[in-house]
Amino acid sequence: MSKLNAQPRYKNNVSKRMNRNLVSSLVTVLGLLLQLNSTAQPSSTSYPSRQLLLRDEGRSTLNFVDLAHPERNYVVAIPAGRDLQLVGQGRVMIGTGKGYEERDIKTGAKVAELTTFDGTIAARRLRNGSVLLVGLNWQGKKGIVLLELDQNQTVQRTINYPDFTYVRLIRETVDGNFLLTANDQVFEGKPDGSIVWQAQLTNQKKAQHAWQAQRLGNGYTLVSGGYSANFQRFDRKGVWVDSISGPPMVNPHFFAGFQILKSGNWVVANWQGHGPDHGASGTQVLEYTPAGKLVWSWKQDPKKQSSIQGVLVLDGLDLNRLHVEDAQGRLVPN
């Protein structure tokens, strides 16, 4: 009898072990699925009263979006160009191909302009109140050219970085230097034309077109990588640290203008292509934590927006004051 009963008990033990292994495997698979789902989906963070200023390159418009009061929203036509900045007196400055325009934030109406510098790529107001215009192979000089204009629109100085063949946006550092993006490169230049820091973007493509760079509080530099469709961080020596993008559901295509919020999060425009018919493509305003988690996004209205290139989150900002970036990279009143 003992021998006859041994075989069933053995089979029973094997069966129990198999069941335990099966349950363990199912739990593991379920955990992996939950993990993948959590990384693929944005957080449920909500900003019911958030106000946005958007530059839509696809339709060449300026958009004001108030999530709590959509009756205040507007879309106005503007000239082609790059960048947008809060410059005080309730105005936003936009770069144009001939200089810049200033628009009333509440209405979108044009209240000032400069149209005598044909070939302007971008415009940025400095801490001293002057405006810096950016051009390429311009004003009789080779490479990147910066013109500083005083309040009378008179050129006060010309800065030249001759060894670069491409340029997008510019940001002034707290030290008075300039961070510029030049296709697959980003560099920090001094007002005397010398280069004090430089980095090479990863994930190189034929036309990478890196868009904007911003120095962070830890000395790292954050760059929106254009067609790399990501953020890239570089250390003090210009060495690549990491990249942040995704998830695929937002269709990362071209990371353009961005803003570092008071919280430390990054809001970026996920541009989708030239022309007026990209409004149904991707999710074009994304907010990430510095750790790379997508915590909020805003889906554009295909009937009103096509391809967003620049974004400003207005909540908590004093629109009557000029805003620049502080030592942490955050947008603050000057």
Side-chain angles (χ1 to χ4, degrees):
M1 287 294 294
S2 61
K3 291 184 179 180
L4 291 174
N5 291 333
Q7 185 67 17
R9 283 200 299 269
Y10 172 76
K11 289 183 177 180
N12 191 42
N13 290 338
V14 171
S15 177
K16 288 181 178 179
R17 285 198 298 270
M18 289 178 65
N19 287 336
R20 285 197 298 268
N21 291 339
L22 178 59
V23 170
S24 177
S25 298
L26 288 173
V27 170
T28 301
V29 170
L30 180 59
L32 289 172
L33 289 174
L34 289 172
Q35 183 180 4
L36 288 171
N37 184 63
S38 66
T39 57
Q41 299 293 332
S43 165
S44 58
T45 300
S46 176
Y47 299 102
S49 64
R50 181 163 269 190
Q51 295 181 347
L52 306 171
L53 264 179
L54 309 172
R55 185 163 194 168
D56 182 354
E57 185 271 341
R59 294 187 177 181
S60 202
T61 58
L62 179 68
N63 300 244
F64 177 79
V65 176
D66 188 327
L67 301 183
H69 299 281
E71 70 277 6
R72 300 174 183 173
N73 296 356
Y74 65 74
V75 178
V76 296
I78 59 173
R82 297 183 175 93
D83 217 351
L84 67 169
Q85 180 186 14
L86 302 178
V87 293
Q89 298 180 296
R91 300 179 179 187
V92 59
M93 185 174 76
I94 59 172
T96 70
K98 294 184 177 181
Y100 63 84
E101 287 186 355
E102 293 182 9
R103 296 269 175 164
D104 182 272
I105 293 173
K106 290 183 178 180
T107 66
K110 182 170 61 177
V111 292
E113 66 179 345
L114 173 69
T115 61
T116 54
F117 288 89
D118 195 20
T120 299
I121 290 176
R124 193 75 179 170
R125 184 152 288 161
L126 304 177
R127 289 176 173 80
N128 64 9
S130 296
V131 172
L132 203 65
L133 302 182
V134 183
L136 185 69
N137 299 326
W138 194 45
Q139 303 294 311
K141 295 184 179 294
K142 179 184 176 182
I144 297 174
V145 181
L146 311 180
L147 297 181
E148 182 179 341
L149 311 180
D150 64 16
Q151 296 181 356
N152 297 317
Q153 300 180 348
T154 302
V155 176
Q156 295 299 299
R157 60 176 172 172
T158 301
I159 303 168
N160 186 206
Y161 304 109
D163 297 328
F164 298 90
T165 60
Y166 200 90
V167 67
R168 277 297 173 251
L169 303 193
I170 186 169
R171 290 295 183 267
E172 183 184 20
T173 71
V174 293
D175 299 324
N177 293 341
F178 305 109
L179 284 170
L180 294 109
T181 45
N183 200 21
D184 60 352
Q185 299 177 73
V186 56
F187 71 93
E188 179 182 354
K190 298 181 70 173
D192 63 6
S194 60
I195 307 298
V196 296
W197 179 90
Q198 191 168 347
Q200 187 87 23
L201 272 71
T202 64
N203 189 26
Q204 305 215 3
K205 298 185 178 182
K206 183 177 181 181
Q208 190 152 339
H209 296 357
W211 197 260
Q212 179 184 333
Q214 188 60 57
R215 185 64 41 76
L216 305 177
N218 60 0
Y220 286 9
T221 300
L222 181 66
V223 184
S224 52
Y227 282 112
S228 294
N230 60 19
F231 280 114
Q232 298 189 27
R233 274 186 287 201
F234 300 88
D235 68 14
R236 296 173 184 269
K237 296 182 180 181
V239 177
W240 177 85
V241 176
D242 61 6
S243 298
I244 291 170
S245 185
M249 61 180 291
V250 303
N251 189 35
H253 180 71
F254 184 110
F255 276 24
F258 69 90
Q259 173 188 349
I260 300 178
L261 304 178
K262 184 178 180 180
S263 66
N265 288 353
W266 314 332
V267 175
V268 65
N270 178 26
W271 180 84
Q272 296 291 305
H274 296 292
D277 301 318
H278 297 282
S281 178
T283 301
Q284 296 184 21
V285 179
L286 310 173
E287 179 182 349
Y288 294 92
T289 68
K293 182 179 181 180
L294 181 67
V295 293
W296 179 81
S297 61
W298 181 79
K299 182 75 171 181
Q300 67 287 347
D301 183 344
K303 296 179 181 179
K304 297 179 180 179
Q305 292 90 28
S306 172
S307 198
I308 297 168
Q309 181 192 80
V311 56
L312 283 174
V313 178
L314 302 180
D315 300 75
L317 303 182
D318 184 350
L319 304 186
N320 291 312
R321 297 179 63 182
L322 168 68
H323 278 68
V324 296
E325 287 79 12
D326 67 7
Q328 307 297 319
R330 298 168 301 194
L331 198 62
V332 296
N334 188 41

